[in-house]
């Protein structure tokens, strides 16, 4: 089973460029999440989608937008990338909000 | 607000040593508690969980007990292996919530 699939795995952007990180899950999960991981700070929630058709801000939403395209797919968009957005981004999904989360392999993003 | 605090790393042990990684939490309700593990270059995966006070989660020789009186969920293993080298994250989710709150992570190195 594929589980949670993220693309791309690596990306380098110039300041001001835009890009979309893609995420898809094949487990029929209701809830999906985007996190960023920075050294010494654990994982911080950017946005989440409790169910298809809904999205909500997490802890660090500024500079990001999301789209829950359907039940399987949840994308994260950087409209104008900044060096502070250099990080590893993880997509995750769960059956419901308080169940265990399943994570993708991550996207390592560098903004120069 | 809710939070998770875990011991700073890195923790370096010899093979077959006893492992403890401390984790404490603050919460307004009665959260579910989790330990996730992250191997190099991969996303997080669930190691074990406990959903109510005095529950013990266990998996692959790792154990953690949900202690409401001390608001703790310490991870233990009696005899670590080199293959246990990874980063370990303690996490909580409020009942009915959609935000998994992670600790900063503890890196474990096990020497042969």
């Amino acid at each position: 089973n594929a589980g949670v699939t993220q693309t791309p795995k690596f990306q380098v952007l110039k300041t001001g460029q835009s890009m979309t990180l893609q995420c898809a899950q094949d487990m029929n999960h209701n809830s999906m999440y985007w996190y960023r991981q920075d050294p010494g700070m654990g994982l911080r929630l950017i946005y989440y989608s409790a169910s298809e058709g809904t999205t909500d801000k997490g802890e660090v939403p500024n500079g990001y937008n999301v789209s829950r395209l359907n039940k399987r797919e949840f994308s994260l968009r950087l409209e104008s990338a900044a060096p502070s957005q250099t990080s590893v981004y993880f997509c995750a999904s769960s059956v419901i909000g308080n169940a265990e989360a399943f994570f993708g392999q991550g996207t390592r993003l560098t903004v120069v | 607000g809710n939070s998770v605090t875990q011991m700073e790393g890195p923790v370096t042990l010899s093979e077959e040593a006893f492992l403890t990684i401390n984790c404490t939490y603050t919460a307004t309700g009665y959260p579910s508690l989790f330990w996730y593990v992250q191997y190099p270059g991969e996303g997080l995966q669930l190691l074990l969980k406990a959903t109510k006070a005095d529950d013990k989660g266990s998996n692959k020789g790792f154990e953690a007990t949900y202690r409401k009186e001390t608001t703790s969920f310490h991870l233990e293993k009696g005899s670590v292996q080199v293959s246990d080298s990874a980063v370990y994250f303690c996490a909580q989710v409020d009942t009915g919530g959609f935000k998994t709150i992670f600790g900063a992570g503890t890196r474990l190195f096990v020497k042969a």
Side-chain angles (χ1 to χ4, degrees):
Chain A
N1 288 339
V4 179
T5 303
Q6 290 182 236
T7 55
K9 287 187 169 48
F10 300 94
Q11 183 71 48
V12 178
L13 290 178
K14 294 183 179 178
T15 298
Q17 286 185 317
S18 63
M19 79 162 294
T20 300
L21 280 63
Q22 307 287 351
C23 175
Q25 53 90 10
D26 62 2
M27 296 172 283
N28 201 35
H29 286 171
N30 294 310
S31 303
M32 297 186 73
Y33 314 84
W34 277 105
Y35 291 90
R36 59 177 290 173
Q37 183 179 27
D38 301 293
M41 303 188 73
L43 276 78
R44 293 182 291 169
L45 184 64
I46 304 171
Y47 270 93
Y48 66 100
S49 171
S51 60
E52 186 179 357
T54 69
T55 60
D56 285 286
K57 296 178 180 179
E59 184 183 353
V60 288
N62 291 346
Y64 306 94
N65 285 300
V66 291
S67 295
R68 182 75 182 266
L69 303 169
N70 48 55
K71 192 170 186 180
R72 291 186 63 247
E73 298 173 285
F74 188 40
S75 62
L76 178 72
R77 183 161 178 84
L78 288 70
E79 291 290 352
S80 178
S84 60
Q85 294 178 305
T86 294
S87 187
V88 180
Y89 291 85
F90 287 100
C91 178
S93 69
S94 65
V95 174
I96 56 174
N98 59 356
E100 67 176 277
F102 292 79
F103 284 80
Q105 298 270 46
T107 297
R108 186 173 294 276
L109 175 67
T110 302
V111 182
V112 298
Chain B
N2 294 4
S3 66
V4 175
T5 302
Q6 57 184 109
M7 62 188 290
E8 287 189 28
V11 174
T12 303
L13 296 173
S14 297
E15 210 166 21
E16 300 184 2
F18 185 86
L19 169 71
T20 300
I21 300 178
N22 290 337
C23 171
T24 57
Y25 67 91
T26 61
T28 52
Y30 300 98
S32 295
L33 302 175
F34 303 85
W35 277 100
Y36 287 85
V37 59
Q38 183 180 32
Y39 299 103
E42 297 185 9
L44 281 69
Q45 54 186 278
L46 181 70
L47 180 60
L48 53 84
K49 66 180 180 183
T51 58
K52 61 182 187 298
D54 300 324
D55 267 2
K56 177 185 283 188
S58 61
N59 185 26
K60 300 181 181 179
F62 291 90
E63 293 183 341
T65 301
Y66 190 142
R67 302 284 188 200
K68 194 176 79 168
E69 64 276 12
T70 55
T71 61
S72 64
F73 193 54
H74 305 321
L75 182 68
E76 296 182 336
K77 186 175 185 182
S79 176
V80 294
Q81 306 299 313
V82 172
S83 58
D84 294 327
S85 298
V87 181
Y88 292 82
F89 291 91
C90 186
Q92 65 160 298
V93 181
D94 267 347
T95 302
F98 289 91
K99 300 180 184 181
T100 302
I101 297 170
F102 289 89
T106 303
R107 184 175 296 277
L108 171 66
F109 292 106
V110 181
K111 303 180 296 183

